[in-house]
Amino acid sequence: MDVKIDPSWKEALKDEFDKPYFKELVGFVHGAYLRGVVYPPPKHIFNAFNSTPFDKVKVVILGQDPYHGAGQANGLCFSVNDGVRVPPSLQNIYKEIHDDLGLPIPTTGNLQHWADQGVLLLNATLTVEANKAGSHQHRGWEEFTDAAIKALSDKREHLVFMLWGAYAQKKGAVIDRTKHLVLTAAHPSPFSAERFFGCRHFSQANDYLLAHLIAPIDWGVGSAASAPD
């Protein structure tokens, strides 16, 4: 099956594309886009993979579902397009980065700058029906993204995995902790952010990368607002 995905990922995940679950998934997703409104736009379904090739990944951040509101989802977890209001979870991520690294709070929610540097912003499910959170769960996407995580764990070394919340931590159970740094915290959503704040994952990630002679991530994003008091 010819999937429009970065060649490095096509090679790393080549065993998945001809499995029965993936063929069923493709049929389901294709039909969903024909029947109604589905996010992200088709060209952005594999945006996380296409923005961050397999051999360029330094950090992995796991999300669950794409945003299901109009104009939000762009194929990168926690990220929204320029001009879209920054969602609450991302606002809390920005607050933690400010407290951790002293960087100003961005005014854009577009995280393409991170992806371009090697931050794989991977949702467990890559598509969603408009205004119906979780509507494409349990259709095969989770198996595909599990395979991506396992491929990174098995074939790469010295990656940083940020697992926020119980769902991401369960999904990250396959990661080899002897080869990679696994950072866990509560989810940054408003419901659990008080337990997310203070995790210092962003400085820890950069310290780990530098210790292994890997260039750190610039966690700043585009234009920035003045830092809060």
Side-chain angles (χ1 to χ4, degrees):
M1 183 171 292
D2 184 28
V3 177
K4 304 300 183 185
I5 193 170
D6 181 85
S8 65
W9 280 106
K10 181 170 281 191
E11 174 62 24
L13 298 173
K14 61 185 178 183
D15 293 340
E16 302 302 307
F17 299 122
D18 290 320
K19 290 182 178 179
Y21 88 85
F22 193 82
K23 293 181 179 180
E24 292 177 10
L25 171 63
V26 169
F28 166 76
V29 171
H30 182 69
Y33 276 96
L34 291 176
R35 288 191 302 272
V37 180
V38 176
Y39 301 123
K43 66 180 181 179
H44 287 150
I45 292 174
F46 294 109
N47 193 23
F49 297 100
N50 293 331
S51 296
T52 313
F54 183 81
D55 54 341
K56 302 295 185 185
V57 175
K58 300 178 182 179
V59 177
V60 181
I61 298 177
L62 291 182
Q64 189 164 352
D65 240 17
Y67 295 117
H68 54 82
Q72 290 182 299
N74 60 16
L76 307 176
C77 74
F78 294 104
S79 175
V80 292
N81 291 313
D82 290 322
V84 176
R85 181 177 177 273
V86 178
S89 291
L90 184 53
Q91 290 179 29
N92 289 332
I93 292 169
Y94 286 167
K95 289 176 185 176
E96 175 60 23
I97 291 173
H98 169 69
D99 291 344
D100 189 9
L101 299 173
L103 295 174
I105 302 286
T107 56
T108 177
N110 192 333
L111 302 181
Q112 186 67 46
H113 175 59
W114 292 1
D116 292 342
Q117 295 179 78
V119 182
L120 180 67
L121 296 163
L122 182 64
N123 277 316
T125 303
L126 301 189
T127 55
V128 68
E129 189 175 339
N131 304 315
K132 292 185 179 179
S135 52
H136 287 189
Q137 291 178 2
H138 312 302
R139 292 287 187 168
W141 279 131
E142 294 92 341
E143 188 170 345
F144 180 73
T145 51
D146 281 350
I149 294 166
K150 191 170 190 315
L152 286 167
S153 177
D154 292 350
K155 299 174 183 178
R156 296 287 313 279
E157 291 185 339
H158 309 314
L159 303 182
V160 180
F161 291 85
M162 297 184 183
L163 309 180
W164 300 332
Y167 182 90
Q169 289 161 28
K170 182 178 179 181
K171 194 170 180 69
V174 299
I175 300 165
D176 185 346
R177 267 74 170 171
T178 68
K179 295 169 57 181
H180 308 285
L181 177 64
V182 178
L183 301 173
T184 62
H187 195 277
S189 82
F191 300 106
S192 52
E194 289 306 315
R195 291 181 287 116
F196 171 77
F197 293 138
C199 69
R200 301 292 188 259
H201 281 185
F202 304 95
S203 59
Q204 289 184 64
N206 279 353
D207 288 347
Y208 179 83
L209 294 173
L210 285 167
H212 291 91
L213 305 180
I214 301 168
I217 303 299
D218 172 11
W219 293 107
V221 177
S223 58
S226 57
D229 295 333

